[in-house]
């Protein structure tokens, strides 16, 4: 299959774009990298150069902590794959497995999720599971530390429980085991047998959970853990600074300068994290503070309470050919008014920035901007506003919601 055919195949199956199978978007091909290990600052600088040389220079971190490079063509995609290999950046393929952030560095974690993730990945590869499961099926290994996987849409989650590992399927606790890998593999086999497009919630809706937890010991619910990566996090040695990229995006030049500054202050890793963030460390306390000051001045988000954290927006016009309006200018205008309400500004119904529900969604349609309350870009809007009246109308909606 050639690159174009592979991309079309990805779109048809709702697949996740990867390095070998990028996805066609409004601004060219998009390649998503699931990193197997944090980047060194030098690798981040090299990746920034690749983003500029092979694509349009835009680098993104997704809500699940993957990196994306945009604006590629077929030749650029091939050069990117070569360049990533030459930089020694390890990329995970196969079954989607997420681990909690700062794995191996978090003194609050009950176990190192990377070891379990590696054992599961190897067993899933041997069983050929990825090819038999829906592309978005994902397993989370939550070490139970400072930055958990709570809130993620995981088909299966493994987390620490007294005397073993808690197993959840579709958000429902199934029980506890001391041997999680065979249990997770058996659940994935059940899911694959149910259908190649099925998610765990589909299987549970059809068959219930009673038989899924057979052989497991009782376990309580997972303790809620903070999942906000932005801020300062104490490591076993030193600190990690978590900062978020406005709308999950940074220009290649900005990433290179950030990585250079991190290296200058002594950091050894830059880890993409869920919530469109980068965790940078280990740093001495004074250096972490210095980096926070520098990054804040550079327009990055360094405080969890920053209003931009509540607003999602896709690249919009003019970056994306499918967009009906300039999403991010409007999103910045609305950020200060959101006050705890989630806002999603989407250039079209595809909803790339946030496929889920938001308190207020504004979506570009052929006939104007659709306003959706407590829904997604694909829902029927409660009203449609002409684009030249959109900013005023959206501000009035948020102001009236504040009372
Ligand atoms: S949601 Fe935004 S980025 Fe995605 S295709 Fe539509 S306009 Fe383009």
């Amino acid at each position: 299959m050639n690159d174009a055919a592979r991309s079309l195949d990805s779109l048809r199956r709702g697949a996740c774009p990867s390095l070998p199978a990028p996805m066609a978007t409004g601004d060219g091909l998009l390649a998503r990298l699931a990193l197997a290990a944090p980047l060194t600052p030098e690798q981040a600088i090299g990746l920034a150069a690749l983003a500029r040389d092979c694509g349009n220079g835009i680098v993104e971190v997704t809500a699940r902590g993957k990196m994306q490079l945009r604006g590629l063509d077929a030749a650029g995609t091939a050069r990117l794959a070569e360049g990533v290999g030459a930089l020694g950046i390890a990329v995970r393929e196969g079954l989607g497995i997420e681990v909690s952030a700062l794995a191996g560095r978090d003194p609050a974690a009950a176990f190192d999720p990377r070891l379990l993730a590696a054992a599961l990945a190897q067993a899933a590869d041997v069983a050929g599971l990825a090819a038999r499961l829906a592309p978005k099926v994902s397993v989370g290994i939550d070490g139970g530390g400072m930055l958990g996987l709570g809130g993620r849409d995981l088909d299966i989650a493994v987390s620490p429980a007294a005397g073993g590992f808690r197993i959840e399927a579709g958000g429902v606790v199934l029980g506890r085991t001391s041997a999680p890998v065979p249990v997770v593999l058996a659940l994935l086999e059940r899911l694959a047998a149910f259908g190649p497009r099925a998610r765990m919630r589909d299987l549970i809706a059809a068959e219930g959970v009673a038989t899924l937890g057979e052989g497991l010991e009782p376990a309580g619910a997972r303790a809620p853990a903070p999942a906000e990566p932005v801020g300062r996090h104490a490591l076993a040695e030193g600190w990690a600074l978590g900062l978020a990229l406005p709308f999950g995006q940074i220009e290649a030049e900005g990433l290179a300068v950030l990585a250079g500054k991190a290296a200058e202050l002594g950091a050894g890793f830059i880890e993409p994290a869920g919530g469109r963030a980068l965790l940078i460390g280990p740093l001495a306390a004074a250096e972490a503070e210095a980096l926070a000051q520098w990054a804040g001045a550079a327009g990055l988000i360094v405080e969890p309470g920053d209003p931009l954290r509540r607003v999602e927006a896709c690249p919009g016009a003019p970056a994306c050919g499918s967009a009906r309006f300039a999403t991010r200018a409007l999103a910045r205008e609305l950020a200060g008014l959101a006050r705890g309400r989630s806002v999603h500004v989407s250039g079209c119904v595809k909803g790339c920035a946030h496929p889920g529900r938001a308190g207020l969604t504004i979506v570009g349609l052929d006939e104007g901007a659709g306003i959706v309350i407590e829904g997604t870009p694909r829902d029927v809007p409660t009203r449609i506003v002409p684009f030249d009246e959109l900013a005023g109308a959206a501000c009035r909606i948020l102001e009236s919601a504040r009372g």
Side-chain angles (χ1 to χ4, degrees):
M1 193 182 290
N2 62 30
D3 286 347
R6 200 183 282 124
S7 294
L8 287 173
D9 186 56
S10 297
L11 281 176
R12 268 197 300 274
R13 299 174 59 225
C16 303
S18 62
L19 190 52
M23 182 176 76
T25 69
D27 61 349
L29 295 174
L30 175 154
R32 186 174 295 162
L33 311 181
L35 302 184
L39 300 170
T40 64
E42 295 71 28
Q43 286 173 327
I45 290 169
L47 191 62
L50 288 172
R52 196 176 48 234
D53 297 345
C54 306
N56 62 10
I58 292 176
V59 180
E60 295 176 329
V61 178
T62 72
R64 287 179 177 268
K66 295 176 181 170
M67 297 200 84
Q68 293 184 162
L69 275 61
R70 304 191 71 100
L72 305 156
D73 59 16
T77 304
R79 289 202 309 280
L80 173 63
E82 278 174 26
V84 164
L87 287 167
I89 297 174
V91 177
R92 280 190 284 106
E93 299 289 344
L95 177 67
I97 302 176
E98 300 180 32
V99 298
S100 39
L102 296 174
R105 294 188 168 92
D106 181 351
F111 65 91
D112 185 343
R114 296 172 302 174
L115 306 176
L116 203 47
L120 179 62
Q122 189 177 21
D125 277 356
V126 170
L129 270 163
R132 295 186 280 128
L133 290 163
K136 288 191 186 300
V137 165
S138 147
V139 179
I141 313 289
D142 188 338
M146 293 183 291
L147 297 172
L149 294 176
R152 302 277 180 93
D153 179 20
L154 298 168
D155 293 82
I156 299 171
V158 180
S159 58
F165 299 88
R166 180 185 298 99
I167 306 290
E168 293 170 55
V172 179
V173 177
L174 299 182
R176 171 172 57 87
T177 179
S178 58
V181 171
V183 172
V184 173
L185 284 176
L187 288 169
L188 291 171
E189 287 290 356
R190 285 276 300 267
L191 187 56
F194 188 67
R197 291 172 186 269
R199 301 292 301 273
M200 192 53 84
R201 56 178 170 266
D202 305 320
L203 175 62
I204 290 173
E207 300 183 3
V209 291
T211 61
L212 294 179
E214 276 174 359
L216 299 179
E217 301 291 327
R222 187 163 23 152
E228 173 56 83
V230 175
R232 288 74 164 164
H233 309 286
L235 305 177
E237 287 181 22
W239 292 81
L241 173 70
L243 52 86
L245 311 178
F247 310 117
Q249 195 172 86
I250 191 168
E251 299 274 344
E253 188 57 35
L255 176 60
V257 173
L258 170 65
K261 186 71 182 173
E264 181 189 315
L265 290 169
F269 71 84
I270 298 179
E271 178 182 347
R276 308 181 196 284
L278 294 172
L279 293 159
I280 301 176
L283 293 161
E287 275 67 31
E289 205 45 52
L291 186 58
Q293 296 287 335
W294 180 91
L300 300 166
I301 298 169
V302 294
E303 299 298 339
D306 190 309
L308 273 181
R309 288 294 278 160
R310 299 293 300 166
V311 180
E312 305 269 12
C314 73
C320 177
S322 301
R324 306 296 200 281
F325 68 109
T327 50
R328 289 187 172 165
L330 177 63
R332 284 187 181 277
E333 209 171 321
L334 299 181
L337 298 172
R339 292 283 173 97
R341 188 176 195 183
S342 57
V343 175
H344 178 197
V345 186
S346 185
C348 76
V349 296
K350 197 169 172 198
C352 295
H354 179 64
R357 297 165 67 86
L360 170 65
T361 296
I362 298 165
V363 53
L365 305 171
D366 287 343
E367 56 273 41
I371 306 289
V372 181
I373 307 296
E374 296 295 341
T376 77
R378 293 180 191 274
D379 289 333
V380 177
T382 53
R383 57 191 272 221
I384 293 175
V385 178
F387 288 119
D388 58 0
E389 297 173 17
L390 176 56
C395 288
R396 283 193 294 279
I397 289 170
L398 288 173
E399 277 164 353
S400 65
R402 287 164 61 187

